[in-house]
Amino acid sequence: MSDLSQLFPTAAQVAAEFAVPDYLAQRHYLVGGELRQWQGELAPVISPVQLRDEQSGELAAVTLGATPLMDSAAALQALDAAVAAYDLGRGHWPTLPVLERIRHVEAFLQAMSAKREQVVRLLMWEIGKNATDAAKEFDRTCDYIRDTIKALKQQDRADSHFIEEQQVLGKIRRVPLGVALCMGPFNYPLNETFTTLIPALMMGNTVVFKPAKYGVLLIEPLLQAFRDCFPPGVINVIYGRGRETVGALMETGKVDVLAFIGTNKGASDLKRLHPKPHRLKAVLGLDAKNPAIVLPCADVAASAKEIIAGALAFNGQRCTALKIIFVPRSKAAEMLPLLAAHIDALKLAMPWQPGAQITPLPEPGKTEAMAALIADAKAHGAEVVNAGGGSYAGSLMKPALLYPVTPQMRLYQQEQFGPLVPVVPYDDVSEVIDYVIHSDFGQQLSIFGTDGAAIGPLVDIFANQVGRINLNSQCQRSPDSFPFTGRKDSAEGTLSVQDALHQFSIPTLVAAKGSEAGIALVRGMVQARHSAFLATDFLF
Ligand code: G3H
């Protein structure tokens, strides 16, 4: 590849249907059911997709718009609105019957679906996600909402009956926790955020939602839908720097649930600010360094293909990406050219171009940071195996395959979250086991092999180390009905369609003596419909 800057389009080369979205100077934010106007400073939103000047060939940044750089006082008003709507558990929303809460979410889903095209286009321009994956992110989020509705109905049906144990009559239902602060990551700014936001709302919590650092404008088309579909104060949306906004919210002690997808350092800093940490429930998706472990019995060709897909989908910017590859030293000579060939086959292009696989990176300075990791690995004896690997122009980098990677290199432990594929040779599988058990991370891993007798014992060892073991397949979150979790610095809590409903609620029970009088009292209340909690209705 000669000059990657040629891959960036000139303004005239961008097809009309994917044109730069109209500049959006967003001043409004959502608090207490109103779209308020922010009169202060705005933060610019810069696209990772740069435009090439036809004459000079220089790359220029594209500013897509701006969002409110809210201060702590404004953020605190959003929190006050959520606290008021919750009203110590007595508010309209936390006491609303489940079916009615579902109706609000269904209305939101319908309004959101109408914004698909706008949101998908912003996903491409704001974070560089390719057209197919951007559309997939939107559709997967809608499916997640539908599945959550189904799961909540199912949960409510299961909870609608009474149980009797040791002469005690009981009825258990899950109830909300309070005010949730929800923050998502830039790589899935819609999907991952909504996988906490929607279950939090559906369980009756009220929410303050702060969009991700990048992928922030794409929430704007949904603000009106949030305002129109939920009662005032149930969902509030704020913008601004984390330390000035969410830091202030945490210090009040009024946040009951922190749902955060980001770094473990960020999560710890926020948790520490809460004056009564024991009252704070945290639902966290954090850093990961998922290993691919190629065994001597692996099908090398099939493994190489799957590993590159797992390492480089969305430029390696997935928490679940394969971020370090262990290969038997004796297999390296066979494996490396295959890995390199799969990397070379990836199409570097702009997000809307057909077949685009490697696209511009949204974090400012990211290509330079990746280059520094490569330089460090080279200084300690690694080489870039694939031709042109690690070359970059502006925000676009050709993925680099690095070998041999050793413990002296930063890439060995550090999560790159970008287009680098470090390969570590090993002589004995105990070296890999050591790596996994001593790693700070514990999200997932992938084992590649064909001999069950070799794989089985490893499964048993790794089952106590990570949240998911993938056999001959890349690490991933889906299907969304499977538990998504991690150990150590990788996660707190478990998310899936069903688990998320549990994370944002707590079981509460009403118990009565199973005596004649106790039963008569409860039966009377149920029959006269004196209590919604005790109702035995089947939710259709
Ligand atoms: O960034 C982390 C995502 O949860 C990964 O989801 O495996 O479906 O890409 P995915």
Side-chain angles (χ1 to χ4, degrees):
M1 175 97 35
S2 50
D3 182 3
L4 293 182
S5 66
Q6 293 303 312
L7 295 176
F8 287 93
T10 63
Q13 285 171 339
V14 183
E17 61 175 312
F18 301 113
V20 186
D22 290 339
Y23 182 87
L24 177 64
Q26 183 194 331
R27 286 205 168 268
H28 48 282
Y29 59 101
L30 182 63
V31 170
E34 296 172 16
L35 291 175
R36 296 190 184 169
Q37 292 293 315
W38 172 246
Q39 299 305 338
E41 233 185 297
L42 297 179
V45 177
I46 315 275
S47 176
V49 178
Q50 299 165 299
L51 291 181
R52 184 166 44 85
D53 184 90
E54 214 158 332
Q55 259 78 53
S56 66
E58 304 256 307
L59 298 179
V62 177
T63 305
L64 299 171
T67 55
L69 208 48
M70 287 168 63
D71 56 19
S72 55
L76 286 167
Q77 287 174 6
L79 180 62
D80 287 345
V83 169
Y86 191 69
D87 192 17
L88 301 171
R90 298 165 309 174
H92 171 70
W93 187 251
T95 53
L96 201 61
V98 168
L99 199 55
E100 287 180 47
R101 286 207 295 264
I102 288 175
R103 295 290 172 249
H104 286 272
V105 175
E106 284 172 339
F108 175 76
L109 178 59
Q110 197 178 354
M112 172 180 167
S113 303
K115 303 289 180 183
R116 183 177 189 272
E117 197 194 325
Q118 214 176 337
V119 175
V120 168
R121 170 115 62 108
L122 280 164
L123 274 166
M124 288 191 270
W125 277 95
E126 273 196 275
I127 59 162
K129 191 162 273 196
N130 72 40
T132 312
D133 288 348
K136 217 187 274 172
E137 175 162 353
F138 191 93
D139 297 338
R140 178 180 178 183
T141 307
C142 293
D143 287 344
Y144 194 95
I145 297 175
R146 277 183 213 106
D147 291 346
T148 306
I149 291 172
K150 227 190 275 172
L152 180 55
K153 281 187 179 170
Q154 199 48 48
Q155 178 180 294
D156 194 84
R157 287 168 190 153
D159 291 351
S160 66
H161 58 260
F162 281 83
I163 46 177
E164 198 183 358
E165 195 72 47
Q166 296 175 23
Q167 285 92 52
V168 179
L169 188 62
K171 171 134 173 120
I172 307 167
R173 270 191 194 281
R174 299 201 70 95
V175 295
L177 295 166
V179 173
L181 171 59
C182 296
M183 284 179 286
F186 80 79
N187 62 336
Y188 282 96
L190 185 74
N191 183 260
E192 288 239 9
T193 317
F194 277 45
T195 60
T196 62
L197 181 72
I198 294 295
L201 287 171
M202 286 177 70
M203 288 312 302
N205 303 279
T206 60
V207 170
V208 176
F209 159 36
K210 183 175 172 303
K213 205 161 25 154
Y214 316 111
V216 56
L217 274 179
L218 59 88
I219 298 300
E220 194 278 338
L222 306 177
L223 282 186
Q224 221 174 317
F226 276 133
R227 182 198 62 188
D228 297 344
C229 300
F230 292 98
V234 168
I235 166 89
N236 307 276
V237 187
I238 61 167
Y239 297 84
R241 290 189 195 99
R243 57 182 178 280
E244 275 151 42
T245 53
V246 289
L249 304 191
M250 293 300 290
E251 280 170 350
T252 64
K254 293 178 185 169
V255 173
D256 301 297
V257 195
L258 171 65
F260 175 81
I261 320 275
T263 64
N264 69 80
K265 182 180 176 314
S268 297
D269 289 349
L270 284 175
K271 281 175 85 169
R272 254 194 293 272
L273 293 175
H274 198 290
K276 291 192 176 179
H278 59 277
R279 283 200 183 188
L280 180 72
K281 168 101 185 258
V283 183
L284 310 174
L286 307 171
D287 325 51
K289 183 86 177 170
N290 293 345
I293 304 163
V294 180
L295 297 179
C297 59
D299 173 337
V300 173
S303 309
K305 187 168 182 232
E306 184 73 11
I307 285 170
I308 294 305
L312 292 174
F314 192 33
N315 313 306
Q317 300 169 120
R318 291 160 60 232
C319 60
T320 47
L322 291 171
K323 297 193 178 104
I324 188 157
I325 321 299
F326 288 90
V327 174
R329 198 178 300 274
S330 59
K331 288 258 177 192
E334 192 187 347
M335 188 96 191
L336 289 168
L338 295 173
L339 293 170
H342 286 297
I343 294 177
D344 286 341
L346 296 173
K347 181 169 174 181
L348 277 67
M350 296 302 110
W352 58 86
Q353 290 170 335
Q357 285 165 302
I358 299 296
T359 53
L361 306 169
E363 291 175 280
K366 185 72 180 197
T367 44
E368 291 80 1
M370 294 293 98
L373 280 176
I374 295 173
D376 171 75
K378 280 168 125 178
H380 289 93
E383 281 177 19
V384 173
V385 178
N386 58 320
S391 56
Y392 66 96
S395 53
L396 186 64
M397 174 176 262
K398 172 155 183 176
L401 177 66
L402 291 133
Y403 181 86
V405 167
T406 61
Q408 289 69 42
M409 302 167 192
R410 278 163 57 201
L411 255 179
Y412 189 77
Q413 298 287 0
Q414 193 177 318
E415 178 180 19
Q416 62 271 40
F417 214 76
L420 306 184
V421 185
V423 179
V424 182
Y426 71 88
D427 297 300
D428 190 282
V429 78
S430 62
E431 297 161 43
V432 188
I433 295 171
D434 260 14
Y435 178 89
V436 173
I437 63 179
H438 292 114
S439 170
D440 278 337
F441 308 112
Q443 192 201 59
Q444 299 189 17
L445 56 77
S446 294
I447 302 174
F448 292 88
T450 52
D451 178 5
I455 296 171
L458 290 177
V459 166
D460 293 349
I461 291 170
F462 293 141
N464 290 349
Q465 304 298 329
V466 295
R468 171 165 163 168
I469 298 162
N470 302 279
L471 303 182
N472 294 312
S473 53
Q474 57 169 293
C475 298
Q476 61 185 25
R477 176 177 180 147
S478 61
D480 285 326
S481 54
F482 280 13
F484 180 52
T485 186
R487 290 162 172 262
K488 306 185 211 173
D489 290 347
S490 285
E492 183 173 340
T494 304
L495 290 173
S496 74
V497 170
Q498 260 148 353
D499 286 303
L501 293 172
H502 284 201
Q503 294 293 335
F504 290 97
S505 61
I506 184 168
T508 290
L509 68 102
V510 172
K513 285 206 165 106
S515 61
E516 234 171 83
I519 292 171
L521 175 66
V522 171
R523 184 189 293 126
M525 284 192 285
V526 172
Q527 285 173 348
R529 305 186 76 80
H530 284 316
S531 158
F533 188 98
L534 295 176
T536 52
D537 300 337
F538 182 88
L539 220 62
F540 288 99

